[in-house]
Amino acid sequence: MRKDQFEEQDGIAVNPSTQAAIAEIIDARLSRRALVKGIAAGGAFGLFGCSSAGPLSTTAAARAADGSAPLTFAEVGRSADERHRLAAGYSAQVLIRQGDPIRRGGPPYQPGRQTGAQQEQQFGTDNDFLAFMPLPRGSNSSIRGLLGVNHENHRAALCFPGFKSNAQLSREQVEVQMAAQGFSVLEITREGNRWRLVEDSPNNRRISANTEMRISGPAAGHARMRTPSDPSGTRVFGTFNNCAGGTTPWGTILTAEENVQNYFMGNAAQGPEAGARKRYAITGRGRYDAWGRYFERFNLDQAPNEPNRFGWIVEIDPYDPQSVPVKRTALGRAAHECATQAVSHDGRVAFYSGDDARMEYVYKFVTEGRYDAARPEANRDLLDRGTLYVARFEASGKMRWLPLVHGQGPLTSANGFHSQADVVIEARRAGDLLGATPMDRPEDVEAHPLTGRVYVVLTYNESRKPDQLNPANPRANNRYGHIVEIVPPLVNGRPDHAATECEWGFFLLGGNPSDPAHGARYGGAVSANGWVAAPDNVAFDPKGRIWISTDGQDDMAGFNDSLYAAQVSGPGRGVTRAFFNGPRGSEICGPAFTPDGRTLFLAVQHPGDGSSFEKPSTRWPDFADGMPPRSAVLAITRDDGGEIGG
């Protein structure tokens, strides 16, 4: 399905950095000998030769979660139609959809007649990342919890009858768009094999582009963060374009602001921020440039520093509906796809993130302090102090985490970095100077909960040219994407996520293995329905197997986006199997499991994308006349009550 003109520009390459092509070394890294070595290691090594990862324990409990358990579901076939398809023996319940009230008595969805005030009381649009947070806090409950949900975009063509262009949007319509994005917190409970919203829960909450937030970390209060509406540079209204995210060990949720360049109008080429804007693809026009006609803070000519206040990781406490969200600037500013955590061997916590644009970088932040499970108050501001790193992948199979620290290397006043605030505000340029590896749209970055191996999901980069190849991105015109595996060293049998040197290899290279032109590689034979294109988000089930959702299979491969699963160790390592297909025009995202593995929550985003309110390509999930397609969260269960995947 053809995406709209602005989405086609999301993630456009603006990185001036290049690395020399090294085709001979790449061929060696992808050789049959290296492939056999990886498979023969039974999953202890990376697919193409990582050699230091291994099981952390040989106990039966550890082996049960090492990702080697076979997948028993029958694969679902390809589709390009208007309905979703699911593996036999499973059921998908629509838990909540775009416009549904989040509390009892809230306004019903009235497409084309909404107000911003109504939308603030309704489930938002374009649901993406999902996080299931058990209730009560600190428990392992799988029947009651809080569901955190990102709302990435609002698609005017599908939501507003008669939409022609941004220039025609009224102030009321812009207010709807501002209220529709951001985040939702919902209390949900399971009754039998079905889930329902707890409509009278005080925890149910919407966070939008209008919600007041605190700015913390090295950029808080800096002159480049100050605006006419906030001279202190410590308060900001709103979060938007929330793509993926993560959770913290202390029970909060991290939501990632991604393509914020689309929200500002004005002359982007003037003033002291012009260079920084160019590096972040801020042009003064985009899908939401109408916001600047009605709200000065989105007009670059009125509030030139406002873009610097977006593109951050935002921390939300879902268990406290009165809490103020916090933008944690120590984690750097980028088109963040995610912020996922891994507790290191010494109690420090690493947070991994991808900058989801062509030729951008992979980051991690390591806290200075240590996580203390016994003292929750001690963890409150761990995300304000630590070290931000950017990744460089080397042909030798080593990868290095390069510190983005003011005063070190080229990050000095001579290059325009006068403080750590400048470093985090311009994290992309800092990565350029350090020689980080330009990647093929790094999206989700997730650490395996048992082995500690880190999976970096590269969705695709059809713009990469043959002279731009590098060891971790070996294909020009990469239409199918791939997944890189980082292997941290072990200290006393536990992963050192604070390490600055690791090993790396490929988990898989997407595409059709039966077509040599694709250059696809898997851990073994995949079926005609099982090969992957455009991997996006990943999650691990309680058995440690990886689940991969896609974004762009329709454009890159000609069939609807899907959800796949694979073992990460054992004979089936890296062999993907199709479990779910979305409806036409949708993106599949946010896979999240309950602790017992018996429910899989899945976000179906923007069904019908590329069509219009009047002539939608699907009316999923309601299929009711006059009702446009609506993003929705599915609760998937096995009909016999067993664990998802088998």
Side-chain angles (χ1 to χ4, degrees):
M1 180 65 63
R2 186 183 64 82
K3 304 292 190 278
D4 68 59
Q5 60 173 317
F6 297 120
E7 182 156 299
E8 288 175 345
Q9 296 171 12
D10 288 352
I12 191 170
V14 293
N15 186 355
S17 298
T18 60
Q19 290 191 352
I22 46 173
E24 323 80 51
I25 299 176
I26 291 168
D27 287 343
R29 292 285 291 155
L30 298 178
S31 70
R32 177 64 184 169
R33 178 178 297 177
L35 173 63
V36 171
K37 177 183 176 183
I39 295 175
F45 300 162
L47 184 58
F48 302 129
C50 291
S51 60
S52 65
L56 303 186
S57 170
T58 57
T59 66
R63 289 196 302 271
D66 69 357
S68 64
L71 293 154
T72 61
F73 62 84
E75 279 194 284
V76 65
R78 304 294 193 192
S79 72
D81 60 28
E82 63 178 355
R83 297 181 180 271
H84 70 260
R85 296 186 181 184
L86 181 61
Y90 292 82
S91 296
Q93 171 200 350
V94 176
L95 176 61
I96 192 166
R97 49 174 98 58
Q98 168 186 323
D100 284 349
I102 64 170
R103 300 181 191 88
R104 180 175 287 116
Y109 182 50
Q110 296 178 297
R113 299 192 299 277
Q114 284 182 290
T115 67
Q118 290 172 334
Q119 180 63 74
E120 290 277 5
Q121 303 175 65
Q122 297 168 334
F123 192 63
T125 52
D126 279 22
N127 42 217
D128 197 298
F129 167 75
L130 305 175
F132 179 79
M133 312 294 285
L135 281 170
R137 189 174 198 153
S139 74
N140 209 36
S141 173
S142 293
I143 61 172
R144 181 169 168 253
L146 301 176
L147 192 67
V149 187
N150 276 359
H151 298 293
E152 184 176 1
N153 280 298
H154 178 278
R155 296 172 193 268
L158 289 175
C159 297
F160 296 145
F163 172 79
K164 300 296 183 184
S165 71
N166 288 344
Q168 297 176 336
L169 289 178
S170 67
R171 181 186 178 104
E172 186 173 75
Q173 288 173 322
V174 166
E175 289 173 346
V176 170
Q177 291 191 315
M178 294 174 68
Q181 297 186 45
F183 198 79
S184 289
V185 179
L186 310 168
E187 182 173 338
I188 59 175
T189 187
R190 179 168 175 166
E191 297 173 348
N193 217 27
R194 293 186 65 80
W195 288 82
R196 68 172 178 85
L197 175 69
V198 180
E199 295 178 324
D200 56 355
S201 171
N203 293 311
N204 295 350
R205 180 185 185 190
R206 277 301 319 281
I207 295 168
S208 71
N210 304 305
T211 303
E212 186 173 359
M213 303 187 174
R214 179 166 66 89
I215 301 170
S216 73
H222 191 270
R224 298 177 71 181
M225 300 289 281
R226 299 171 190 163
T227 66
S229 61
D230 173 34
S232 73
T234 61
R235 293 279 177 178
V236 63
F237 283 104
T239 184
F240 42 76
N241 213 271
N242 305 81
C243 196
T247 61
T248 68
W250 49 92
T252 58
I253 296 176
L254 303 178
T255 178
E257 298 176 334
E258 192 188 24
N259 289 304
V260 301
Q261 70 274 6
N262 294 322
Y263 293 77
F264 302 94
M265 66 172 293
N267 188 347
Q270 71 176 4
E273 293 295 328
R277 291 174 188 155
K278 184 177 181 179
R279 188 63 186 82
Y280 284 87
I282 297 168
T283 63
R285 56 185 175 82
R287 182 187 296 161
Y288 304 104
D289 54 13
W291 293 20
R293 293 206 308 269
Y294 303 109
F295 298 92
E296 288 185 356
R297 64 191 179 104
F298 296 108
N299 188 322
L300 298 173
D301 303 326
Q302 302 294 324
N305 286 345
E306 190 72 16
N308 293 342
R309 292 144 67 84
F310 296 90
W312 303 103
I313 300 299
V314 184
E315 185 174 16
I316 297 168
D317 186 348
Y319 295 99
D320 180 2
Q322 303 305 314
S323 61
V324 175
V326 184
K327 297 201 176 188
R328 301 290 187 181
T329 64
L331 279 69
R333 178 168 164 260
H336 287 291
E337 171 76 14
C338 66
T340 59
Q341 56 91 6
V343 179
S344 194
H345 68 291
D346 60 359
R348 287 181 291 170
V349 189
F351 290 86
Y352 294 95
S353 185
D355 186 347
D356 181 12
R358 295 160 181 84
M359 312 298 282
E360 292 302 338
Y361 306 135
V362 175
Y363 298 88
K364 81 171 177 181
F365 173 82
V366 179
T367 62
E368 177 184 291
R370 288 164 170 76
Y371 167 60
D372 188 344
R375 298 174 57 241
E377 69 279 359
N379 307 314
R380 185 171 300 144
D381 292 316
L382 281 180
L383 293 177
D384 284 343
R385 289 176 294 279
T387 303
L388 180 65
Y389 298 90
V390 66
R392 182 169 68 207
F393 296 86
E394 299 177 351
S396 65
K398 298 290 185 183
M399 63 84 54
R400 303 182 192 280
W401 290 107
L402 311 174
L404 296 171
V405 176
H406 175 252
Q408 294 188 17
L411 306 184
T412 64
S413 295
N415 287 315
F417 296 100
H418 304 291
S419 68
Q420 188 64 17
D422 290 319
V423 173
V424 296
I425 290 171
E426 294 191 73
R428 281 183 171 178
R429 188 166 70 89
D432 297 344
L433 292 176
L434 290 178
T437 302
M439 306 293 283
D440 286 349
R441 285 191 61 196
E443 299 222 20
D444 209 358
V445 187
E446 299 265 359
H448 192 279
L450 179 67
T451 68
R453 292 179 294 222
V454 178
Y455 296 81
V456 181
V457 184
L458 293 314
T459 297
Y460 56 76
N461 184 359
E462 77 288 20
S463 300
R464 187 179 290 275
K465 297 177 174 58
D467 63 351
Q468 295 175 316
L469 303 183
N470 62 53
N473 302 271
R475 293 183 291 182
N477 186 28
N478 179 9
R479 297 177 58 82
Y480 305 106
H482 57 290
I483 298 178
V484 164
E485 185 180 58
I486 297 172
V487 186
L490 302 180
V491 178
N492 296 324
R494 299 183 63 191
D496 180 5
H497 286 284
T500 56
E501 183 177 303
C502 304
E503 294 190 359
W504 74 275
F506 294 100
F507 180 67
L508 63 81
L509 278 76
N512 185 353
S514 67
D515 186 341
H518 288 198
R521 301 289 183 97
Y522 298 87
V526 297
S527 76
N529 295 318
W531 60 269
V532 175
D536 187 349
N537 299 135
V538 299
F540 300 98
D541 64 25
K543 286 187 167 70
R545 299 167 300 199
I546 194 169
W547 294 72
I548 305 165
S549 63
T550 69
D551 176 16
Q553 281 191 157
D554 49 358
D555 288 326
M556 299 300 156
F559 44 81
N560 292 353
D561 277 308
S562 305
L563 180 71
Y564 302 84
Q567 297 165 245
V568 298
S569 63
R573 171 181 157 85
V575 179
T576 48
R577 297 166 57 87
F579 178 77
F580 175 90
N581 296 329
R584 184 180 298 135
S586 68
E587 166 190 352
I588 308 305
C589 40
F593 290 88
T594 51
D596 64 5
R598 295 175 188 273
T599 299
L600 166 62
F601 297 104
L602 199 60
V604 177
Q605 185 182 160
H606 59 68
D609 189 30
S611 59
S612 67
F613 183 95
E614 287 78 14
K615 295 182 178 180
S617 61
T618 177
R619 293 192 184 275
W620 190 93
D622 302 303
F623 294 100
D625 291 343
M627 184 63 69
R630 304 161 73 182
S631 297
V633 175
L634 299 180
I636 297 175
T637 53
R638 213 165 91 178
D639 294 344
D640 64 4
E643 288 189 48
I644 304 293

